[in-house]
Amino acid sequence: MRILIIEDEQKTAVYLRKGLTESGFVADIAHEGDEGLFLATTREYDLIILDVMLPERDGWSIIAEIRQRGKQTHVLFLTARDSVRDRVMGLELGADDYLVKPFSFSELLARVRAILRRGPTRQPEILRIADLEINLLRHKAIRSGQHLDLTPKEFALLSLMTQRAGEVLSRTLIAEQVWDMNFDSDTNVVDVAIRRLRRKLDDPFEKKLIHTIRGVGYVLEER
Ligand code: CA
């Protein structure tokens, strides 16, 4: 699970990241609004922890912008004042929950887990492309009525590509999303995994769903 922390107070941000990392999350920090907005709209996160009071661009404008761009990432906002106006504003703009500063880490963690238990926002349980059907909750993939026997990583890779069908995904993005790591150097891992996935997903069938875009990456789509 990836979490983005948008918080200008260095100490708070570092403290949050440390706690979240120890609790098994991967966390990135943005110290200013613009950087936060950039990360929130260009990378994939399961949750954004958003401080409202930020220099230059405040938390309200960030959440409004994220939603306007169609991103449904969960948002937990942090507010310094326990005012009804702030809370209502945050929730109306599309936040999932809020916390009033100062808060304890255990409380934050409980809220984060509660939000994530709701699952990805507005994501259908079953994805379909051509004769491929993926059940995200049951971790099952079926093509032409045949069950595909995939490893957990292969399933994660196929889910990612199906969720973003029609979009060319770079090796770096795939590596980040599926292996939870940044590696520009050794994206060979991705090629190997794609090859294995193709053997199960495409080789037995006439119509191929995974396509290589030379020099860029891979796309899953019906052609
Ligand atoms: Ca602040």
Side-chain angles (χ1 to χ4, degrees):
M1 289 278 184
R2 287 189 93 89
I3 296 181
L4 173 63
I5 302 161
I6 307 179
E7 164 66 87
D8 59 317
E9 291 157 44
Q10 186 101 14
K11 253 176 79 180
T12 310
V14 169
Y15 164 76
L16 285 179
R17 176 162 67 183
K18 186 166 175 286
L20 289 168
T21 306
E22 285 168 3
S23 307
F25 296 97
V26 176
D28 292 339
I29 295 177
H31 289 294
E32 359 159 341
D34 286 334
E35 186 195 2
L37 180 62
F38 176 76
L39 289 175
T41 50
T42 54
R43 303 181 117 196
E44 293 299 322
Y45 292 98
D46 299 290
L47 174 81
I48 299 168
I49 296 175
L50 177 65
D51 185 31
V52 172
M53 297 296 286
L54 294 165
E56 288 164 34
R57 183 188 267 282
D58 69 14
W60 303 138
S61 88
I62 293 176
I63 188 169
E65 187 73 29
I66 291 171
R67 294 292 182 249
Q68 206 182 356
R69 295 195 198 179
K71 281 257 180 188
Q72 297 300 328
T73 317
H74 290 300
V75 175
L76 170 67
F77 71 90
L78 308 176
T79 168
R81 296 168 301 170
D82 186 12
S83 85
V84 176
R85 195 181 148 268
D86 273 17
R87 272 177 276 160
V88 171
M89 176 118 140
L91 299 173
E92 274 183 351
L93 284 170
D96 292 81
D97 204 352
Y98 68 96
L99 264 181
V100 179
K101 289 181 173 183
F103 52 81
S104 69
F105 183 75
S106 57
E107 188 180 5
L108 175 112
L109 190 59
R111 298 288 177 96
V112 165
R113 289 195 167 133
I115 293 173
L116 293 175
R117 265 199 301 274
R118 296 173 200 165
T121 30
R122 289 188 207 171
Q123 183 161 276
E125 188 181 318
I126 295 175
L127 304 170
R128 288 189 184 88
I129 299 274
D131 56 355
L132 172 68
E133 185 181 303
I134 294 182
N135 189 316
L136 294 170
L137 291 184
R138 293 169 179 225
H139 273 243
K140 279 187 179 160
I142 292 166
R143 187 155 185 203
S144 271
Q146 293 177 42
H147 173 75
L148 304 179
D149 189 16
L150 305 177
T151 65
K153 282 290 175 212
E154 287 165 353
F155 185 83
L157 176 59
L158 181 59
S159 303
L160 172 72
M161 297 188 81
T162 310
Q163 275 161 346
R164 299 177 68 164
E167 193 180 326
V168 180
L169 305 176
S170 70
R171 290 174 177 81
T172 309
L173 183 138
I174 294 173
E176 253 177 41
Q177 298 288 317
V178 178
W179 284 269
D180 226 3
M181 54 213 268
N182 292 298
F183 52 104
D184 293 321
S185 49
D186 188 19
T187 42
N188 187 35
V189 178
V190 175
D191 296 328
V192 172
I194 291 272
R195 211 175 304 144
R196 291 212 180 108
L197 180 59
R198 273 179 160 154
R199 227 171 276 155
K200 297 176 181 178
L201 176 79
D202 277 343
D203 288 1
F205 304 95
E206 195 183 334
K207 188 180 246 179
K208 309 303 174 197
L209 294 177
I210 296 177
H211 309 277
T212 307
I213 309 298
R214 277 194 71 175
V216 188
Y218 298 98
V219 61
L220 185 144
E221 68 186 356
E222 187 177 7
R223 287 190 177 170

